[in-house]
Amino acid sequence: MGRNELDNLVRLGQLKPEPVSVSEIDTHLQSGRDRLQDASAPGLSLSGRFLLGYSAAYAFSLVALRRQGFRPASRYVVFQCLPHTLAVGPEIWRLLARAHDVRNGFEYEGSDEVTEDLGLQVIRCAQALERLL
């Protein structure tokens, strides 16, 4: 799946080749599953559910990339690689890229663009990624 595209990202400095680590992958998988489960816990705030869903989606996306033998230079590139690591369409990776921007605004700039709809969509994307792994 998309090995040429991933190799191009290595040449651009966005990815670096790194041997696959089964223990690392297992840790990220468990982290993603835990966060996805926690995102559905009753009584959590909207921003809490969003951040947990985002973290789960990131963990699953990172697993897909690490299974291919690459490590990202930045968090954002993990979502950009999804068409090449899990063959997902733009409806997933573009939403997660948008969620990344919202997360950064929330975490670093104090903005709050988190909506109920975005939170639910991020959680659904994380669930879809988990199924593809």
Side-chain angles (χ1 to χ4, degrees):
M1 274 189 255
R3 184 68 190 203
N4 289 338
E5 291 84 350
L6 297 174
D7 288 336
N8 285 340
L9 289 173
V10 170
R11 284 189 283 283
L12 295 171
Q14 295 297 308
L15 295 177
K16 66 178 186 174
E18 189 171 305
V20 174
S21 166
V22 174
S23 64
E24 177 190 356
I25 287 171
D26 289 345
T27 299
H28 288 304
L29 274 173
Q30 190 58 52
S31 173
R33 289 176 181 139
D34 290 346
R35 290 173 183 187
L36 187 55
Q37 181 179 345
D38 291 348
S40 301
L44 288 181
S45 67
L46 173 60
S47 58
R49 287 192 316 273
F50 168 78
L51 291 171
L52 286 164
Y54 170 87
S55 293
Y58 178 79
F60 296 143
S61 300
L62 184 58
V63 165
L65 187 60
R66 291 295 294 123
R67 282 182 174 170
Q68 297 289 322
F70 297 100
R71 183 165 302 280
S74 69
R75 292 180 71 94
Y76 187 77
V77 74
V78 172
F79 298 131
Q80 289 179 318
C81 290
L82 282 170
H84 313 297
T85 57
L86 290 178
V88 300
E91 69 283 355
I92 291 181
W93 71 264
R94 284 185 183 152
L95 179 98
L96 292 173
R98 184 172 134 231
H100 174 79
D101 292 338
V102 170
R103 175 229 176 235
N104 281 356
F106 183 78
E107 291 283 333
Y108 304 120
E109 300 166 10
S111 68
D112 190 9
E113 298 177 35
V114 178
T115 64
E116 185 76 31
D117 184 54
L118 180 61
L120 291 173
Q121 288 182 55
V122 167
I123 290 169
R124 281 194 291 269
C125 286
Q127 292 167 335
L129 295 175
E130 181 184 24
R131 284 191 299 272
L132 291 171
L133 294 171

